Structures are given as structure tokens and as C-alpha cells.
Amino acid sequence: MGNDDHRRRKTPCGFCMAVFKWIPVLFITAVIAWSYYAYVVELCIRNSQNRIGMIFMLLFYHLFLTLFMWSYWRTIMTSVGRMPDQWRIPDEEVTRLFRADSPDTQKRILNNFARDLPVTNRTMNGSVRFCEKCKIIKPDRAHHCSVCSCCVLKMDHHCPWVNNCVNFYNYKYFVLFLGYALVYCLYVAFTALHDFVDFWKVGAYDNNGYSAQGQLNATGMGRFHILFLFFIALMFAISLVSLFGYHIYLVLVNRTTLESFRAPIFRVGGPDKNGYNLGRYANFCEVFGDDWQYWFLPVFSSFGDGKTFPIRHMEEDTESLLGYHSDTRIELEEDFLPEPRFQDSIP
């Protein structure tokens, strides 16, 4: 975290805000804890008459739950990382930069400082990207997060549901979290479907809540736990399908959420949304690694250091070189608006 964030936490208001940010995480945790009780106790232990079937249901349930919670925990607890000192501009250079009499002078100062740094991304005026809050040269694909109060490597977006930035270090965990959350919800909804249908059978229950045909053994509030378990699992599954599918698409085209809205600008070639697209398999391996044994486990296996990334050969797409690619045209039209100094950062 940045120094501003530490200073904010020392104030009563800053402490309250830090606690407030954990509310979405606590909400998700509470829903998972309730679903565990509803599924294990009410649906399986108290309602199931087939003991062998119940054992298999619980076995697969705990497998999916473990992978789901493991991925979720790694996404939350993985740090956004720290920028190396060589990317940080000394105070005297920052003073010179802010006192420069023209944008060209500022551009020369930044380009001179970054001449030995592996940066290919530029601002609209062709200058090296600089964060005036963190006082650093921003590595390729890095952006400043106003919530975390620091620059984040390969920033995808800040997610309130994990109270963390989705970035280079936890992007694989985030995608696995979405995938296993979807599998968990679909599994719960599918295995609770039979009892959910029994609940709505006309005349199927007596006054005590027992099934007249003996199909649903849950009584009282137990059957309502099963009812809401199905509804909530199905609701979350529907929400997760589109989100998980979108991030799988981003992985396969090697693009972050921020880059999908605003194309990165390269020193050679200009704006290009497909600048990091190396092919679907290579793009997948860049996030998940090339060892299939770790693909589906929330352990770090991504390629690189988060500061430098391979770029596709620009000569393979002459349209991008000339700035005539359809995606590029959209970005150029959006960037015609005037841009304040050093504003190439995410608020």
C-alpha cells in the first residue's frame, strides 16, 4: 500500500473506511457459511434417505467448496506487490519535473530517467508514463489504484468483493475463484433441484411439513433452507456465468479489463488492444503457466515478473502500424479529448 493509505488509516475516519471495505467480503463469507449449513445439515444429513448417495454428494461438495474457498482466500490475501526502487524517481528529479516550463521539457526528463528501464507503453503525447502520486515511472500495464493508494502491476480492476486489486500476482487466483464459485453454485443447484421440485408439488405436504409421498423429509424451517439454497445458488450461478466467461476471453486475448476499455499505447505502433496477444495457448500459459498440473490449483505459476511482457511482432499487423485497426480507431477517437498533465493513471 502507498504512504497515503497508511496515513489515512491512522485517522478515525480512515480506520472506519478500512473496516467498511471488508463488508462485501464478510457478506460473501456469511452466505457461504449459511449455504454450508443448508446443504450439509438440512439437505444431506436430515433430508437424505440414501446414505451412499449422501456420502458421494458430501464428498464432491467438500471438494468444490475447498477449491472455491482456497482460490477466494488467495485472491484476497495476495499482496499487490511493491515497486522496485529503480522505478522510483528521486525527489530532486521530481522537483525539476514539476518546475519544468513546458511539456516537452517534462517529456525529456522522464524519457531520460527511463532510458534504462524496460518500458514500451507511452502516454498520448509520447512520454513515458509517470505516476505523480507514487513518484514512479509506471511499468507496462501498471496503473495507480485510488482505493489501494498505490501503483499496481498489470492492474485488471479493483474488486470490492475481494477487497483487493486484481493484478499480476493474483489474476490466476481470481479466474479460478470465479470458475470454482460457478461450479460450486451449479453443483448445489443441481443436487437440490429434486427437493426443490418436491417442495412445489400441490398437496405434497401435511401440516407438519412432511411429504405425503415421502419425497421430502425436511420439516419446518428446514425445507425453507433448501428452497432458498436452490434460489440463491441459481442466482449466483447466472451472475457468474457472464463474468467468468468474460475473463476467460480476456485471458485468451491477453488483455486486462482496463485495456479492453482503453488500448495501451506503445512506443512503436501507437494504441493497440492486441499488442500483447501472442496466440491463445501462449496467452493462457502467460497466466496459468505451462505445467498442466498447476493449471487448476490456486498456486502461483504465471510467467514473468509483472513489469515486462512479450509483445507480438507489429509487422504481423500492418493495419496496427498505420493506426487503421478498427479497435485502434475507436481508441484514437476517445483520446482526442484534452488530457491533463500526467493523467495517464486510473483514478
Side-chain angles (χ1 to χ4, degrees):
M1 299 294 180
N3 293 331
D4 292 340
D5 191 53
H6 288 300
R7 284 195 292 268
R8 265 185 258 169
R9 289 188 179 184
K10 291 180 180 179
T11 65
C13 182
F15 177 78
C16 291
M17 285 301 298
V19 173
F20 181 78
K21 293 175 185 177
W22 284 99
I23 291 180
V25 175
L26 294 176
F27 171 76
I28 294 295
T29 305
V31 170
I32 296 171
W34 167 80
S35 71
Y36 185 87
Y37 166 80
Y39 191 91
V40 174
V41 178
E42 296 295 346
L43 180 64
C44 291
I45 297 177
R46 293 183 178 177
N47 184 60
S48 179
Q49 294 179 336
N50 185 345
R51 293 301 172 185
I52 296 178
M54 180 191 72
I55 291 173
F56 278 101
M57 285 173 62
L58 290 175
L59 180 64
F60 285 106
Y61 174 82
H62 284 91
L63 173 63
F64 296 142
L65 177 65
T66 299
L67 292 170
F68 169 34
M69 292 303 297
W70 186 10
S71 303
Y72 188 44
W73 179 257
R74 292 301 302 270
T75 305
I76 294 172
M77 301 308 296
T78 301
S79 171
V80 297
R82 181 179 179 275
M83 292 294 176
D85 292 336
Q86 60 264 34
W87 297 82
R88 193 169 305 278
I89 298 181
D91 292 338
E92 57 273 14
E93 290 296 318
V94 173
T95 302
R96 283 185 56 215
L97 188 65
F98 288 149
R99 290 180 179 177
D101 55 2
S102 69
D104 288 338
T105 304
Q106 295 169 343
K107 179 179 177 180
R108 283 196 299 271
I109 294 173
L110 289 174
N111 289 346
N112 181 64
F113 182 82
R115 66 182 182 275
D116 295 326
L117 296 177
V119 288
T120 62
N121 289 171
R122 295 293 187 268
T123 62
M124 280 300 296
N125 65 3
S127 175
V128 171
R129 299 188 310 138
F130 168 70
C131 179
E132 58 182 350
K133 295 180 180 179
C134 297
K135 309 296 188 298
I136 65 166
I137 299 295
K138 288 194 287 187
D140 292 349
R141 312 185 85 174
H143 296 277
H144 185 88
C145 176
S146 59
V147 181
C148 296
S149 299
C150 64
C151 283
V152 179
L153 295 176
K154 195 187 176 184
M155 179 178 174
D156 187 88
H157 69 286
H158 185 92
C159 180
W161 298 107
V162 300
N163 191 28
N164 199 2
C165 263
V166 179
N167 63 91
F168 171 77
Y169 293 106
N170 69 354
Y171 187 59
K172 176 189 174 183
Y173 310 148
F174 178 74
V175 176
L176 288 177
F177 155 61
L178 294 179
Y180 286 129
L182 176 60
V183 171
Y184 175 81
C185 291
L186 289 175
Y187 179 79
V188 169
F190 178 76
T191 51
L193 178 61
H194 179 268
D195 296 286
F196 172 79
V197 172
D198 285 345
F199 182 92
W200 295 102
K201 285 184 177 179
V202 179
Y205 306 100
D206 59 21
N207 293 332
N208 294 321
Y210 286 89
S211 170
Q213 290 112 4
Q215 293 176 326
L216 183 65
N217 298 318
T219 61
M221 288 301 297
R223 58 192 183 125
F224 288 100
H225 277 293
I226 297 174
L227 173 69
F228 287 113
L229 177 67
F230 176 82
F231 270 126
I232 292 177
L234 185 62
M235 178 187 67
F236 274 98
I238 293 173
S239 301
L240 286 165
V241 164
S242 58
L243 186 58
F244 177 63
Y246 178 64
H247 278 280
I248 289 296
Y249 163 76
L250 292 179
V251 169
L252 295 180
V253 297
N254 206 337
R255 193 181 300 165
T256 66
T257 299
L258 294 177
E259 290 167 353
S260 68
F261 287 100
R262 183 174 183 176
I265 302 174
F266 293 91
R267 180 174 56 86
V268 177
D272 186 3
K273 279 187 176 182
N274 295 311
Y276 296 107
N277 192 343
L278 308 174
R280 291 182 180 179
Y281 181 72
N283 295 337
F284 177 86
C285 289
E286 190 169 303
V287 175
F288 286 84
D290 57 0
D291 190 343
W292 65 270
Q293 299 179 73
Y294 299 107
W295 284 354
F296 303 107
L297 295 177
V299 295
F300 188 79
S301 58
S302 302
F303 288 163
D305 58 2
K307 295 178 280 293
T308 58
F309 301 90
I311 302 173
R312 71 186 180 96
H313 297 296
M314 302 300 280
E315 62 269 16
E316 293 178 358
D317 189 349
T318 56
E319 289 183 343
S320 292
L321 275 173
L322 299 174
Y324 292 139
H325 194 279
S326 58
D327 287 342
T328 304
R329 283 203 302 271
I330 295 173
E331 297 302 329
L332 288 174
E333 289 169 2
E334 292 173 351
D335 286 332
F336 279 151
L337 296 174
E339 186 177 13
R341 241 183 238 178
F342 313 122
Q343 194 57 35
D344 191 47
S345 60
I346 300 301

